[in-house]
Amino acid sequence: MLVRVTSFPVQPDIAELMEYATRFDSEQEKKAWEMYESGAELYVFEEEGENIGLIGFTTNSSGQMDILHLAVRPEDRLKGYGRGLIVEALLLKQPEVVIAVTDEEEADFFRNIGFTVNGFNPGPDEPEQFRCVYESEEPAED
């Protein structure tokens, strides 16, 4: 079940998931918490009383969802939870387009679940990044 995180500071297991999402970069983690405290949405996937993974995103009035953070506990990876988090967020918010910017390793994950992936160079001396885009299908008209 997807549960919105609205109380800060968070439980230790949610904080640990955010550490995974920010790759243990304390400055990035601090920025992430500031975003979620000021309006970005953060959800955890809870199963049998345990927080398995998290997804954080923003949405705008034009129907775009930007995935900011996505993480699954190491012991639960490769079991479909990452895809499930995205599917649950899509069902909840029903965006027209979903965008995630990530590195090469995670780009493969997004590509494998149906996102279009394009690489770009953010600047000199910076590693290549990947823009992952998923466009929701229009409902069929009768």
Side-chain angles (χ1 to χ4, degrees):
M1 168 171 54
L2 209 56
V3 178
R4 182 150 187 199
V5 177
T6 57
S7 179
F8 301 94
V10 296
Q11 302 165 358
D13 60 340
I14 297 173
E16 182 178 353
L17 286 167
M18 184 58 75
E19 287 177 341
Y20 295 127
T22 58
R23 294 189 174 97
F24 299 95
D25 181 325
S26 59
E27 188 60 35
Q28 289 300 316
E29 186 177 349
K30 180 181 175 188
K31 288 179 184 178
W33 290 123
E34 289 170 358
M35 283 190 307
Y36 296 116
E37 289 176 15
S38 63
E41 296 182 54
L42 180 65
Y43 291 82
V44 293
F45 184 79
E46 185 181 283
E47 185 174 78
E48 297 178 9
E50 294 189 41
N51 293 314
I52 306 294
L54 66 71
I55 187 168
F57 54 83
T58 58
T59 55
N60 64 31
S61 59
S62 66
Q64 179 175 311
M65 172 187 284
D66 290 302
I67 296 176
L68 305 171
H69 297 98
L70 180 67
V72 173
R73 297 186 311 190
E75 63 267 29
D76 291 308
R77 292 181 185 157
L78 303 174
K79 296 179 181 177
Y81 288 109
R83 181 181 187 281
L85 281 159
I86 293 172
V87 168
E88 290 289 329
L90 288 170
L91 292 171
L92 180 68
K93 295 297 179 175
Q94 299 182 351
E96 292 180 25
V97 64
V98 181
I99 297 173
V101 176
T102 190
D103 63 16
E104 187 171 6
E105 184 178 340
E106 275 100 32
D108 286 339
F109 162 78
F110 284 101
R111 185 179 292 110
N112 290 336
I113 63 170
F115 281 66
T116 300
V117 177
N118 292 300
F120 68 94
N121 189 332
D125 301 324
E126 298 211 21
E128 184 176 20
Q129 294 286 294
F130 294 83
R131 185 172 191 263
C132 309
V133 179
Y134 176 82
E135 293 187 37
S136 298
E137 296 177 10
E138 293 290 323
E141 293 186 26
D142 295 333

